[in-house]
Amino acid sequence: MFSGRTDKRCFLVCLAASQLLFILLLYRRGASSMFQGIFGAYSVWDYSKTQDVYTNLSLFIPNPEAVRTQYCPVRSPILVGPLTITLNKPPSLKKIQMKNRYVTSGGSFSPRHCFGRYRTAVIIPHRNRESHLRSLLYYLHPFLQRQQLHYTIFVVHQAGNATFNRAKLLNIGVTEALRYDSWDCFILHDVDLIPENDYNLYICDEHYPKHLSSAMDKFQYSLPYWTYFGGVSALTPDQFMKINGFPNTYWGWGGEDDDIAMRIRLSGMKITRTPLSLGRYKMIPHDRDSGNEENSHRHNLLSKTRKTWREDGMNSIDFRLLSREKAELYTNLTVDIGETPVMPTEESKWGFF
């Protein structure tokens, strides 16, 4: 009898330990990576063997006078997988234009031999990152062309000297992109992240918001924490409006990504995530920008998200469009988003979900 009780206790201890280990692995690596390893649902990519993103790209773009008679395949036949990313010296805009001669004014592209199945707007918040923007455009344009998307790249430039407000600029980008055209998907894209695999499709999940940059090199290609939603994400117009867009009240670095993750859950949705083996990104090395200092109020703001998310977002955005310019490689939106507000000094405990 004693032996039976001991065996039962050992079994319960082992069961609890295995459950704890599984939870820790999920937290560290992400559920998508775990299930990938268990069920083999996704390809295993060899990132020691990479291809130039421009390899043979021109061969797949026939005579522009050719008549398109059918839709492009659901999965593009011209994807190459892992890409060679070199960040030593940013290319010139002239070089990027020469290598992307089918991109039209405003940074738009449509496949010339078939009708693109997906209409994607890429929105990039920006200020004083010209070299980063050139590097991103050099890789992003051919990356999107290989996926046979109909797309336009919008760069939302914050004018003035107020503290940088990434989330508000993304709200503005969505607002202006909707005035430009109708879209199937918004890609909200940090300027310093370069995708490493063109099978990481820049299209939306039809049911839930999708986190694309699940494995950045700065985090050793792992998910920093379970609810992380920073870097590059994809939302349909309906999903974006359902969460009332992004918060306008996060001035400076940090906090808005966690607020967005909370909005997704509070609106009855969940985050879908690109598998870690596919959602790999290189971050362009840089120091923290002047005017984008760490937001010391972010924890206090996050503690109030449950109460504020329905009032702070697309329905409360306030800005002034200073100019809209169709550059060769992107549509530039220069905006005045006002001055940095004076925040209250009281501390509040950070409540999460």
Side-chain angles (χ1 to χ4, degrees):
M1 183 180 294
F2 179 77
S3 176
R5 290 179 179 177
T6 302
D7 291 343
K8 184 176 181 180
R9 288 175 183 172
C10 289
F11 171 76
L12 292 175
V13 170
C14 291
L15 179 62
S18 63
Q19 290 176 336
L20 178 61
L21 178 61
F22 185 71
I23 290 171
L24 289 173
L25 285 170
L26 286 176
Y27 173 82
R28 180 61 180 165
R29 298 181 62 194
S32 59
S33 177
M34 287 294 297
F35 293 133
Q36 171 189 334
I38 295 171
F39 299 111
Y42 302 99
S43 300
V44 177
W45 299 100
D46 184 357
Y47 284 89
S48 67
K49 300 176 181 178
T50 58
Q51 298 283 339
D52 189 305
V53 71
Y54 287 96
T55 299
N56 296 329
L57 184 62
S58 61
L59 300 179
F60 300 100
I61 305 178
N63 187 336
E65 303 301 322
V67 178
R68 292 176 291 178
T69 60
Q70 59 185 358
Y71 281 98
C72 300
V74 174
R75 179 63 62 90
S76 170
I78 60 176
L79 302 178
V80 295
L83 304 172
T84 304
I85 308 296
T86 304
L87 301 174
N88 296 332
K89 182 179 179 181
S92 66
L93 287 175
K94 183 177 181 180
K95 178 179 179 180
I96 305 170
Q97 292 169 18
M98 291 178 62
K99 295 181 77 70
N100 293 277
R101 56 198 179 102
Y102 293 105
V103 173
T104 60
S105 178
S108 297
F109 175 85
S110 290
R112 293 181 174 269
H113 63 292
C114 56
F115 294 106
R117 287 180 177 270
Y118 303 102
R119 304 175 65 84
T120 294
V122 181
I123 300 172
I124 304 169
H126 176 263
R127 185 174 66 179
N128 299 331
R129 294 278 198 94
E130 280 69 24
S131 64
H132 294 177
L133 180 60
R134 296 200 308 272
S135 293
L136 176 59
L137 293 173
Y138 178 83
Y139 290 104
L140 190 57
H141 272 297
F143 173 90
L144 296 169
Q145 290 166 41
R146 286 191 175 279
Q147 297 183 6
Q148 297 183 324
L149 301 175
H150 169 91
Y151 72 85
T152 297
I153 295 177
F154 297 88
V155 175
V156 190
H157 177 77
Q158 179 178 331
N161 298 316
T163 303
F164 192 67
N165 191 324
R166 171 182 177 268
K168 189 171 185 179
L169 293 176
L170 290 171
N171 281 343
I172 294 170
V174 169
T175 300
E176 293 300 314
L178 286 172
R179 292 176 180 171
Y180 181 86
D181 206 341
S182 60
W183 304 101
D184 299 315
C185 188
F186 295 122
I187 303 295
L188 298 318
H189 208 301
D190 282 358
V191 72
D192 55 4
L193 289 176
I194 312 294
E196 296 186 46
N197 192 321
D198 61 5
Y199 277 82
N200 183 5
L201 302 181
Y202 274 31
I203 61 177
C204 284
D205 181 276
E206 60 180 300
H207 301 294
Y208 301 117
K210 181 167 66 172
H211 184 227
L212 295 170
S213 55
S214 54
M216 302 182 197
D217 61 346
K218 69 172 290 187
F219 299 131
Q220 292 75 52
Y221 294 112
S222 63
L223 198 63
Y225 53 91
W226 181 246
T227 58
Y228 185 66
F229 199 69
V232 185
S233 55
L235 294 90
T236 67
D238 287 344
Q239 291 165 3
F240 197 84
M241 297 306 175
K242 190 173 182 179
I243 66 172
N244 192 22
F246 292 175
N248 298 310
T249 49
Y250 287 78
W251 298 79
W253 180 88
E256 79 280 0
D257 297 328
D258 295 320
D259 190 297
I260 296 161
M262 293 177 70
R263 287 168 180 249
I264 291 170
R265 286 163 174 78
L266 291 170
S267 64
M269 296 187 290
K270 64 181 181 180
I271 296 172
T272 60
R273 208 178 298 280
T274 300
L276 300 188
S277 63
L278 186 59
R280 290 170 58 112
Y281 285 75
K282 286 190 183 297
M283 176 173 282
I284 303 172
H286 62 88
D287 297 324
R288 182 71 54 80
D289 302 327
S290 175
N292 191 30
E293 289 78 16
E294 185 173 316
N295 182 357
S296 60
H297 302 282
R298 63 188 187 280
H299 300 316
N300 184 47
L301 291 168
L302 282 167
S303 70
K304 301 175 182 177
T305 300
R306 289 179 179 274
K307 298 179 180 179
T308 60
W309 74 278
R310 295 184 186 275
E311 288 76 39
D312 174 23
M314 287 293 283
N315 60 0
S316 64
I317 191 170
D318 180 30
F319 69 97
R320 188 160 58 99
L321 181 64
L322 300 180
S323 67
R324 181 186 188 123
E325 176 192 2
K326 284 193 173 186
E328 293 296 326
L329 295 167
Y330 58 92
T331 295
N332 186 73
L333 306 169
T334 302
V335 296
D336 176 2
I337 63 173
E339 296 299 319
T340 311
V342 177
M343 300 295 290
T345 57
E346 70 271 16
E347 294 294 328
S348 176
K349 187 176 181 181
W350 185 12
F352 222 71
F353 303 96

